[in-house]
Amino acid sequence: MDFSTATTTAGNGYSSPRDSSFPSSFTKFNSALTAGLLNPMSPPPPPAMLDKTRSSPTLFEMMASEADTIGKVPVQIHNGVLPSPSSSSSSSSAAATAARTTNVAHLVISAQDKQALAMQRISDLLVIRSPGNQFNDPNSSDVKLTLSSKDGISITMCVHRQILVAHSRFFAMKLSDRWSKQQLPPSSSPYIVEISDCDDVEVYIETLMLMYCRDLRKKMMRQDVSRVLGILKVSAAIGFDAGVLSCLEYLEAAPWSEDEEYRIASLLSELHLENVGATEVLRRVSVEASNGSNGGSNDEVLLNLLHIVLEGKDEKARRDMKTLVSKMLRENSSGNDLRKESLYVACDGCLHNLKRQFLQAAESDLENVDQIARQADNLHWILDILIDRQIAEDFIVMWASLSELSEVHSKVPVVHRFEISRVTARIFVGIGKGQILTPKEVRCLLLRNWLTPFYDDFGWMRRASKGLDRYLIEDGLSNTILTLPLAWQQEFFLAWFDRFLNSNEDCPNIQRGFEVWWRRAFWRRKEQSQEPARLRVTASATDNS
């Protein structure tokens, strides 16, 4: 802010808007065309004809003229009174401009219109005050303060040196006794103080008005978060400590929108107000600001959330919360909030329950058989999280090693067991897309233990699972087999070929992968056998001596 002083009252001169016209041939041609004097397909008439068309401006001219004069007319308020239309030629010109743009007001809101609205609000703000409040009282004031902004707004108001000095370190320095003695004004003339380049004159005025208010908290309750942030910025700039504290108290208690939350955190970080209460405000959005704790507790909180979802009773609520938690974890993909070990602790718990219930069902104990589908669904959800975070390799090793379950798989009714094959299908898709990278031995073990159970459940899984993408799973299985050595590929593709011919509807169609294997195994082998033997030329060193 630029701070300057003078010993005489500022003048009331206004700058006039420059005359905006468009004498170009294009504008005149547009006028004639709008008036219906020209055929759109005919060439432009001579300038003499264009001058005689009509004097009233077209819509294009009004909008262009308005755009040219935006921001060019400075507006001043003295003691809360807007300049009258007859006070100067500039006011008449401004009124004429307003009348001229009435027809296009619904099309565009100009910067000048916004400025006029702001001036009206400022005028109301300066005129209306509670009884006994001396703000902008010309009879008792001893300082005339002029605020001006970059967009041409200039306001002069009457304030009191004693109040400014008592509440603001900025004004205490500028209006010190030494400075006052140097001014030596006449007893009847107030000091003239000017502050230029204000970001928001209206907010600056509201901040000064708070210095005259006895109950700042009550006054703040009438504001919104956006306005309080503006007041906080001005209060911090002029050293108005009571205003800063009142703004921080308001922000600590008031609700915020997501956009306001970002603006609050950004402004408090910019102003460095940690020693005057900003930390209390930031505790709402920062773990570090709460009780001095670090981010290590995030892992415990998220792990607790996982267990609550995994053990929930209401199935619909569980599905909704799984979607929500997955979305939140996906948005924070850094992985620092939830450790790999914590996820695998939850995974081990689900896997243990699944093994116990599955083995009981295999022995015809169907008391809690519904837990098989529930725990398989939980594992499917955790697997999605592990794949998103690129830490699913250990899960594949554990799943591929569950031979004790795959061996008794056929003993459990398919209606209870098919959810397990959905986990296997998700693994196939992950490997097929390159989302999971494991050694070929693990991939082969996975197929040996779980491919036949997967074939057995595929028909039921396809009919019972809503939203199942059959083609995605088939491509994943094909690509998983094709990642193996060629001899292992032959084993799995030939077994599929035999099964597909005997149960077409209940077997996945991996014909594309089969064709790739066939070309690899036979075409290239044939090409290699037809290649002519390469001539190898060897040179031996001979001693000619």
Side-chain angles (χ1 to χ4, degrees):
M1 293 184 297
D2 183 20
F3 187 97
S4 59
T5 61
T7 58
T8 60
T9 306
N12 295 332
Y14 309 116
S15 60
S16 301
R18 65 184 182 87
D19 184 23
S20 301
S21 59
F22 292 81
S24 65
S25 59
F26 174 80
T27 303
K28 295 179 180 180
F29 175 70
N30 182 73
S31 300
L33 180 61
T34 305
L37 300 180
L38 295 179
N39 187 330
M41 301 302 297
S42 63
M49 181 181 294
L50 289 174
D51 292 336
K52 297 179 181 180
T53 55
R54 64 169 183 171
S55 59
S56 60
T58 65
L59 177 62
F60 173 80
E61 289 176 325
M62 289 189 290
M63 294 178 65
S65 176
E66 177 66 18
D68 191 54
T69 58
I70 287 176
K72 303 299 184 180
V73 185
V75 184
Q76 297 181 350
I77 292 180
H78 291 270
N79 296 335
V81 180
L82 283 168
S84 62
S86 59
S87 60
S88 65
S89 59
S90 63
S91 300
S92 300
S93 178
T97 302
R100 190 168 59 248
T101 58
T102 300
N103 294 332
V104 296
H106 65 285
L107 297 176
V108 59
I109 300 177
S110 66
Q112 190 172 3
D113 294 334
K114 295 179 181 179
Q115 186 184 73
L117 293 174
M119 294 301 297
Q120 185 61 52
R121 291 195 304 268
I122 293 172
S123 178
D124 296 340
L125 194 64
L126 293 175
V127 172
I128 302 174
R129 62 177 185 268
S130 59
N133 193 320
Q134 293 183 326
F135 179 76
N136 200 33
D137 183 5
N139 299 323
S140 61
S141 66
D142 54 0
V143 175
K144 275 191 173 295
L145 177 62
T146 299
L147 305 175
S148 60
S149 64
K150 297 178 181 179
D151 55 0
I153 297 178
S154 180
I155 293 93
T156 300
M157 68 195 78
C158 300
V159 292
H160 302 75
R161 174 183 173 274
Q162 181 180 0
I163 293 178
L164 297 182
V165 170
H167 290 86
S168 167
R169 294 191 301 276
F170 172 78
F171 285 108
M173 178 181 65
K174 295 299 182 180
L175 300 177
S176 62
D177 293 336
R178 179 180 179 183
W179 177 86
S180 302
K181 292 178 181 179
Q182 290 176 352
Q183 300 307 307
L184 297 176
S187 58
S188 59
S189 301
Y191 296 106
I192 305 299
V193 179
E194 296 180 359
I195 299 178
S196 60
D197 295 336
C198 297
D199 291 336
D200 192 325
V201 171
E202 185 177 355
V203 172
Y204 208 108
I205 294 173
E206 290 187 342
T207 305
L208 295 177
M209 292 178 67
L210 290 177
M211 297 182 183
Y212 288 79
C213 184
R214 295 181 180 179
D215 191 347
L216 272 67
R217 178 178 298 181
K218 185 176 180 181
K219 185 74 172 178
M220 283 292 179
M221 291 178 64
R222 304 175 184 177
Q223 308 293 349
D224 56 17
V225 172
S226 180
R227 182 52 56 95
V228 170
L229 288 177
I231 294 175
L232 175 61
K233 187 174 182 180
V234 175
S235 298
I238 64 177
F240 180 25
D241 294 337
V244 170
L245 292 175
S246 297
C247 291
L248 293 177
E249 289 179 0
Y250 173 92
L251 294 174
E252 193 279 329
W256 310 338
S257 66
E258 291 187 9
D259 178 63
E260 291 169 345
E261 177 180 316
Y262 174 79
R263 293 172 56 196
I264 290 171
S266 177
L267 181 60
L268 294 183
S269 175
E270 175 186 343
L271 298 180
H272 302 289
L273 301 174
E274 293 80 6
N275 297 329
V276 292
T279 302
E280 294 294 326
V281 178
L282 292 176
R283 283 186 178 182
R284 187 185 302 187
V285 296
S286 174
V287 176
E288 289 76 6
S290 301
N291 301 323
S293 62
N294 54 30
S297 61
N298 286 352
D299 181 78
E300 298 177 3
V301 173
L302 291 173
L303 183 59
N304 187 36
L305 285 177
L306 287 178
H307 283 298
I308 292 174
V309 174
L310 295 174
E311 299 171 3
K313 304 296 183 183
D314 189 298
E315 287 301 321
K316 182 180 183 304
R318 269 173 24 94
R319 289 194 299 269
D320 294 341
M321 289 303 102
K322 282 181 179 180
T323 303
L324 176 62
V325 173
S326 298
K327 175 178 177 292
M328 293 189 300
L329 292 177
R330 193 175 296 111
E331 289 175 350
N332 186 9
S333 58
S334 62
N336 297 328
D337 51 358
L338 188 60
R339 295 181 299 115
K340 173 182 177 181
E341 293 77 9
S342 298
L343 282 170
Y344 275 98
V345 167
C347 180
D348 290 340
C350 295
L351 195 58
H352 175 75
N353 293 333
L354 175 64
K355 290 170 62 177
R356 184 179 71 252
Q357 299 299 334
F358 199 84
L359 293 176
Q360 289 180 3
E363 297 176 356
S364 301
D365 183 1
L366 304 179
E367 182 179 357
N368 295 317
V369 70
D370 59 320
Q371 288 295 316
I372 296 176
R374 179 186 178 90
Q375 298 303 329
D377 182 67
N378 287 339
L379 286 171
H380 191 284
W381 179 53
I382 294 177
L383 176 59
D384 279 334
I385 297 175
L386 295 174
I387 292 176
D388 284 340
R389 295 181 169 237
Q390 300 178 347
I391 52 175
E393 291 77 12
D394 292 343
F395 183 94
I396 310 307
V397 174
M398 290 190 302
W399 192 259
S401 303
L402 291 176
S403 57
E404 55 183 325
L405 296 188
S406 62
E407 290 173 358
V408 299
H409 180 269
S410 59
K411 298 180 180 181
V412 179
V414 64
V415 66
H416 302 302
R417 76 189 188 207
F418 78 91
E419 286 287 350
I420 289 181
S421 293
R422 287 186 63 243
V423 178
T424 304
R426 182 65 183 93
I427 295 175
F428 289 155
V429 172
I431 296 176
K433 286 187 172 183
Q435 298 171 335
I436 308 172
L437 302 178
T438 57
K440 62 179 181 298
E441 292 79 12
V442 175
R443 302 194 301 273
C444 184
L445 181 62
L446 173 71
L447 290 168
R448 292 187 188 279
N449 285 336
W450 286 109
L451 186 55
T452 298
F454 173 76
Y455 287 155
D456 293 340
D457 294 345
F458 185 78
W460 186 276
M461 180 174 60
R462 182 169 56 86
R463 290 186 292 268
S465 299
K466 296 181 179 179
L468 184 72
D469 192 339
R470 171 177 181 170
Y471 303 105
L472 180 66
I473 295 175
E474 291 172 345
D475 284 344
L477 176 57
S478 296
N479 292 333
T480 300
I481 298 175
L482 290 172
T483 62
L484 299 176
L486 196 60
W488 296 356
Q489 294 178 35
Q490 177 175 323
E491 173 188 347
F492 294 113
F493 278 121
L494 289 180
W496 165 83
F497 190 79
D498 178 69
R499 188 179 186 102
F500 185 78
L501 290 175
N502 293 286
S503 56
N504 184 14
E505 290 298 326
D506 292 336
C507 185
N509 187 348
I510 55 174
Q511 179 179 343
R512 184 194 63 82
F514 184 85
E515 292 176 358
V516 173
W517 164 75
W518 179 272
R519 288 193 295 269
R520 289 176 178 178
F522 294 96
W523 289 13
R524 293 182 182 178
R525 187 180 304 172
K526 182 178 180 180
E527 291 175 359
Q528 292 175 359
S529 63
Q530 292 178 352
E531 286 184 4
R534 294 182 180 179
L535 179 63
R536 298 184 61 189
V537 179
T538 58
S540 59
T542 57
D543 188 4
N544 297 326
S545 58

